[in-house]
Amino acid sequence: MTKRRKARKIKIGNVPVGGLSPVSIQSMTNTDTRNAEATIAQIRELAFHGCEIIRVAVPDMKAIETLPEIIDGSPIPLIADIHFDWRLALASINAGVHGIRINPGNIGGKDKVKKIAEAAGNANIPIRVGANTGSLPKGFYEKLLKKYSSAENALSEALVQSALEQCGALENFGFRKIKVSLKASDVPVTVAAYRKFASRTDYPLHLGVTEAGTYKTGIVKSAVGIGSLLLDGIGDTIRVSLTAPPLEEVKAAQSILEAAGLRKTMPEIVSCPTCGRTEIDLFKLVDDVEKLISSLKAEGRKINIGKIAVMGCVVNGPGEARDAELGITGGKGKIILFKNGKASGTFSEKQGFEMLRREILKKSS
Amino acid sequence: MTKRRKARKIKIGNVPVGGLSPVSIQSMTNTDTRNAEATIAQIRELAFHGCEIIRVAVPDMKAIETLPEIIDGSPIPLIADIHFDWRLALASINAGVHGIRINPGNIGGKDKVKKIAEAAGNANIPIRVGANTGSLPKGFYEKLLKKYSSAENALSEALVQSALEQCGALENFGFRKIKVSLKASDVPVTVAAYRKFASRTDYPLHLGVTEAGTYKTGIVKSAVGIGSLLLDGIGDTIRVSLTAPPLEEVKAAQSILEAAGLRKTMPEIVSCPTCGRTEIDLFKLVDDVEKLISSLKAEGRKINIGKIAVMGCVVNGPGEARDAELGITGGKGKIILFKNGKASGTFSEKQGFEMLRREILKKSS
């Protein structure tokens, strides 16, 4: 609905980022990168569930040794995450990674940034730089705080200016395949920073809310922050950061892209919250439908249904059910089945689910 | 950060809605309203966890009989949710509810809407009306589809115009204490509809994404939809609809308000996703900190700490930990404790948590 911001296009391996390409999902392994087998196994699992770009921490030269094996075993492009040591960046590029993530401010000075930019340029791979409230240069924020009326405005501006400096540090050496992130654990600051940065540049943007907290608060913070930017047409690749296994990050990322209308998982299951009007066991019914869909997918079957509505009562039920290819609406212990918007029979709860199951199977190949 | 839209102010019992009042949290009971005891128990539990306005379904005259007892036993204002039968609306108002939610389009015609508007006016209570993609008047959307280029634009415009018609139906009879919702299960449509409606009127807005789906997708859809509107300064009261127990709705609503910067729960726990750099058991550590905080709160103690940072490594750890009153950062099996931004010692994992626990207890009263 909103027009997407058209960013400068780069490529991470075979995955395009920017230039109106589909918003891609990233995650980061939490295995020890020096353990190639475990890391490859985790990347494959994440890729199977929809991860499209993977990042691994490269903390030391031992991790460099396993990189070629990991790159070889990974079904998706790989980004090396490097801090403090410029030699790790060069060695990662030599090892064949598809992108690197550095902080030009902590990598060892201008001449080291130059070496990295040249190596990445020769290898034709992009660099992600990023400002993070946790690692702003000293005094940066404090200086802006005097200029801006609110702490939030000063902090988002500090993120923007720090990111622009990092981009400049690379562009000075003719390097332009840059992807940028601006992260704060505070969502309004994060969103304000990305909005400002998006309006001032054409760099492709990596969206994320950093240090998002525990699983439940983290998923909400990420959904609010990343989701509202996506709804504004901002963002080219996303990573949901959760203090949880990376698979949860990938699943949450998919839900956010779906919610923002950027992806569609077939079929979409739409259900209602229950209320005092609900006269059937809706929680169980929705759960049964979900399990059926999951098991069909696990068998590798394709389900040719756009939307299934599972509704508790006759207030909003028939309307939503009409809008879906398949739907059931409860009422007084009975279930009405809808097919392509038309009521096609009233059944007991058990029968109703069975009828729905048959219809779903009919449309699965 | 964003300026909030200043809506016309109304009151649901003692809770102000609109006029820059704090955004309030609503939920809906899923007990049988005809069972006063169960309904009151659920309302009390929800209120204890932060619910500020409660809605109950009033499906028939039997439910009216229990309303006075429920209103009497409820610590928070109560809204009656009524469909199809205007007599239930009048009877609910007589029973003393603090607000009603109707759909003027399905309540029995103009003269019935007039009766309800007069009764609510005399009782000095507000009415919520709302457009819902599941119950748009026949032909409404189809007509607009011819005018608008995209289905999404037509659908959001249909919601806006249907809501305006409903408001008009009440204002015709001099009734102005109106609260409005515009709901679609599609998030971009929902957000577009609220944005349009917010820019054209001063009605206070009840935010929600309807039929949000299963718990995990529902929480993400609600966070993206409600969260992005709140970040834009739109919204006066919210209800997260989840196919899950209402307590989960209240908890999710609080997380969304926090993420949008509109509430602060003390202390905020900030943690990082783990990566190949993490050399301590961060999941367990965060979990232990959360449990400690929960148990202190359950004892009714007040924890005078704004932010606790629990970080896995030295890349972003020290920066975030500096920003927090208390923080721990892991590294090579050891933990560094931060107090008011300064490192105050290196400990083993077990000792580190113990030291943090002592500091938290010191600041709890």
Side-chain angles (χ1 to χ4, degrees):
Chain A
M1 209 143 38
T2 312
K3 220 180 141 194
R4 265 185 78 194
R5 165 181 177 265
K6 190 174 174 182
R8 177 190 307 186
K9 188 170 163 182
I10 59 170
K11 278 185 109 178
I12 319 280
N14 57 359
V15 179
V17 173
L20 305 183
S21 313
V23 177
S24 50
I25 295 176
Q26 301 202 15
S27 187
M28 191 167 183
T29 54
N30 68 352
T31 51
D32 188 329
T33 310
R34 292 162 292 197
N35 183 340
E37 202 181 334
T39 304
I40 291 169
Q42 190 174 63
I43 295 173
R44 289 196 175 162
E45 190 199 13
L46 297 175
F48 180 79
H49 286 93
C51 182
E52 293 159 311
I53 297 167
I54 191 73
R55 184 154 49 109
V56 302
V58 179
D60 56 26
M61 278 295 171
K62 267 212 163 156
I64 296 287
E65 285 171 31
T66 49
L67 270 186
E69 192 181 340
I70 296 172
I71 294 164
D72 200 48
S74 170
I76 52 177
L78 191 133
I79 294 171
D81 192 89
I82 294 143
H83 289 272
F84 310 126
D85 190 344
W86 62 283
R87 284 163 303 190
L88 294 173
L90 293 191
S92 296
I93 295 169
N94 277 335
V97 297
H98 305 97
I100 60 171
R101 187 265 187 271
I102 59 165
N103 177 344
N106 74 17
I107 207 75
K110 244 187 187 168
D111 53 328
K112 305 305 188 286
V113 173
K114 188 180 177 203
K115 277 189 210 293
I116 296 170
E118 284 171 354
N122 290 335
N124 199 23
I125 65 165
I127 298 177
R128 169 157 71 99
V129 296
N132 187 313
T133 46
S135 54
L136 283 173
K138 243 189 180 164
F140 217 92
Y141 166 57
E142 291 72 11
K143 208 178 64 193
L144 287 163
L145 200 49
K146 288 178 194 153
K147 270 214 229 165
Y148 287 82
S149 53
S150 82
E152 284 85 359
N153 266 331
L155 197 50
S156 61
E157 188 63 30
L159 283 172
V160 169
Q161 294 196 14
S162 165
L164 285 173
E165 270 193 9
Q166 294 185 30
C167 294
L170 291 171
E171 297 229 338
N172 279 344
F173 305 115
F175 189 85
R176 287 178 44 86
K177 290 186 202 307
I178 304 170
K179 187 164 54 97
V180 177
S181 61
L182 303 116
K183 301 207 254 176
S185 62
D186 180 279
V187 175
V189 171
T190 306
V191 170
Y194 274 107
R195 283 182 176 165
K196 283 184 197 175
F197 194 86
S199 71
R200 296 186 201 165
T201 74
D202 77 336
Y203 292 111
L205 292 172
H206 167 112
L207 302 187
V209 177
T210 200
E211 286 89 41
T214 53
Y215 178 73
K216 280 195 183 184
T217 63
I219 202 167
V220 167
K221 277 173 112 169
S222 290
V224 172
I226 295 173
S228 63
L229 287 165
L230 291 175
L231 285 181
D232 284 344
I234 295 170
D236 303 288
T237 181
I238 69 171
R239 186 225 174 165
V240 176
S241 296
L242 295 174
T243 307
L247 182 55
E248 293 300 328
E249 298 188 348
V250 171
K251 289 182 180 172
Q254 266 167 334
S255 295
I256 293 172
L257 289 178
E258 279 169 41
L262 293 168
R263 294 251 178 133
K264 257 211 154 111
T265 298
M266 303 266 277
E268 182 188 7
I269 301 171
V270 166
S271 64
C272 70
T274 56
C275 71
R277 279 189 298 268
T278 316
E279 300 188 29
I280 56 168
D281 188 351
L282 194 73
F283 294 165
K284 186 176 177 303
L285 204 51
V286 173
D287 200 47
D288 287 346
V289 173
E290 285 239 304
K291 276 183 190 150
L292 172 62
I293 300 295
S294 297
S295 73
L296 289 173
K297 282 188 179 170
E299 288 170 18
R301 296 176 70 167
K302 200 172 165 330
I303 306 159
N304 300 304
I305 307 170
K307 204 195 234 183
I308 302 174
V310 184
M311 309 293 294
C313 85
V314 291
V315 169
N316 292 317
E320 283 289 340
R322 254 198 300 274
D323 191 32
E325 277 112 302
L326 282 173
I328 47 185
T329 293
K332 296 193 199 286
K334 293 279 181 189
I335 278 177
I336 307 163
L337 181 72
F338 285 80
K339 283 200 271 185
N340 298 316
K342 284 192 188 111
S344 88
T346 301
F347 305 94
S348 73
E349 281 193 45
K350 217 175 151 183
Q351 277 177 322
F353 174 72
E354 180 52 29
M355 295 306 288
L356 183 67
R357 197 180 74 87
R358 284 188 203 173
E359 294 300 325
I360 292 172
L361 287 175
K362 271 194 215 165
K363 299 204 169 189
S364 303
S365 50
Chain B
M1 207 144 37
T2 313
K3 220 179 142 195
R4 265 185 78 195
R5 165 180 178 264
K6 190 173 175 182
R8 177 191 307 184
K9 187 169 163 181
I10 60 170
K11 277 185 110 179
I12 318 280
N14 58 359
V15 179
V17 173
L20 305 183
S21 312
V23 177
S24 50
I25 295 175
Q26 301 202 16
S27 186
M28 190 168 183
T29 53
N30 67 352
T31 50
D32 188 331
T33 310
R34 291 161 294 197
N35 182 339
E37 203 181 332
T39 304
I40 291 170
Q42 190 174 62
I43 296 173
R44 289 197 174 159
E45 190 200 10
L46 296 175
F48 180 79
H49 285 94
C51 182
E52 293 159 311
I53 298 167
I54 191 74
R55 184 155 49 109
V56 302
V58 179
D60 56 26
M61 279 295 171
K62 267 212 163 155
I64 296 286
E65 285 171 30
T66 48
L67 269 185
E69 193 182 338
I70 297 172
I71 294 165
D72 200 48
S74 170
I76 52 178
L78 191 131
I79 294 171
D81 191 89
I82 293 142
H83 289 271
F84 311 124
D85 189 344
W86 63 282
R87 284 162 303 190
L88 294 173
L90 294 190
S92 295
I93 295 169
N94 278 335
V97 297
H98 305 97
I100 59 169
R101 187 265 186 271
I102 58 164
N103 177 345
N106 74 16
I107 207 75
K110 244 187 186 169
D111 54 328
K112 304 305 187 286
V113 173
K114 187 180 179 203
K115 277 189 209 295
I116 296 171
E118 284 171 355
N122 291 334
N124 198 24
I125 64 166
I127 298 178
R128 168 157 72 99
V129 296
N132 187 314
T133 46
S135 55
L136 284 172
K138 243 187 180 166
F140 217 92
Y141 165 57
E142 291 73 11
K143 206 178 64 193
L144 288 164
L145 200 48
K146 288 177 196 155
K147 269 213 230 163
Y148 287 82
S149 52
S150 81
E152 285 85 0
N153 266 332
L155 196 51
S156 62
E157 187 64 30
L159 283 171
V160 169
Q161 294 195 17
S162 165
L164 284 172
E165 269 192 9
Q166 294 185 31
C167 294
L170 291 171
E171 298 228 339
N172 279 343
F173 305 114
F175 188 85
R176 287 178 44 84
K177 290 187 202 306
I178 304 170
K179 186 163 57 95
V180 177
S181 61
L182 303 115
K183 300 208 253 176
S185 62
D186 181 279
V187 175
V189 171
T190 306
V191 170
Y194 274 108
R195 283 182 178 167
K196 283 184 199 176
F197 193 87
S199 71
R200 296 186 202 165
T201 75
D202 78 335
Y203 292 112
L205 292 171
H206 168 112
L207 302 187
V209 177
T210 199
E211 288 88 41
T214 54
Y215 178 72
K216 281 196 182 183
T217 64
I219 202 167
V220 167
K221 276 172 111 169
S222 290
V224 172
I226 296 173
S228 63
L229 288 165
L230 291 174
L231 284 181
D232 284 343
I234 295 170
D236 303 289
T237 181
I238 69 172
R239 186 225 174 166
V240 176
S241 296
L242 296 174
T243 307
L247 183 55
E248 294 300 328
E249 298 188 347
V250 171
K251 288 182 181 174
Q254 266 166 333
S255 295
I256 292 173
L257 289 178
E258 279 169 40
L262 293 167
R263 294 252 178 132
K264 257 210 155 111
T265 299
M266 302 267 277
E268 180 188 8
I269 301 172
V270 166
S271 64
C272 69
T274 55
C275 71
R277 280 189 297 269
T278 316
E279 301 188 28
I280 57 169
D281 187 352
L282 194 75
F283 294 164
K284 185 176 178 304
L285 204 52
V286 173
D287 199 48
D288 286 347
V289 174
E290 284 238 306
K291 277 184 189 148
L292 172 62
I293 300 295
S294 296
S295 75
L296 290 173
K297 283 187 178 171
E299 288 170 21
R301 297 176 70 167
K302 201 175 164 333
I303 306 160
N304 300 303
I305 306 171
K307 201 194 236 182
I308 301 175
V310 184
M311 308 293 292
C313 85
V314 290
V315 170
N316 292 317
E320 282 289 341
R322 254 198 301 275
D323 192 33
E325 277 112 304
L326 282 174
I328 46 185
T329 293
K332 296 191 199 286
K334 293 281 181 187
I335 278 177
I336 307 163
L337 180 72
F338 285 80
K339 283 200 273 186
N340 297 315
K342 284 193 187 111
S344 90
T346 302
F347 305 94
S348 72
E349 279 192 47
K350 217 174 150 182
Q351 277 177 324
F353 174 72
E354 180 53 30
M355 295 306 288
L356 182 68
R357 197 181 73 88
R358 284 189 202 174
E359 293 301 323
I360 292 171
L361 288 174
K362 270 193 214 165
K363 299 203 169 189
S364 303
S365 51

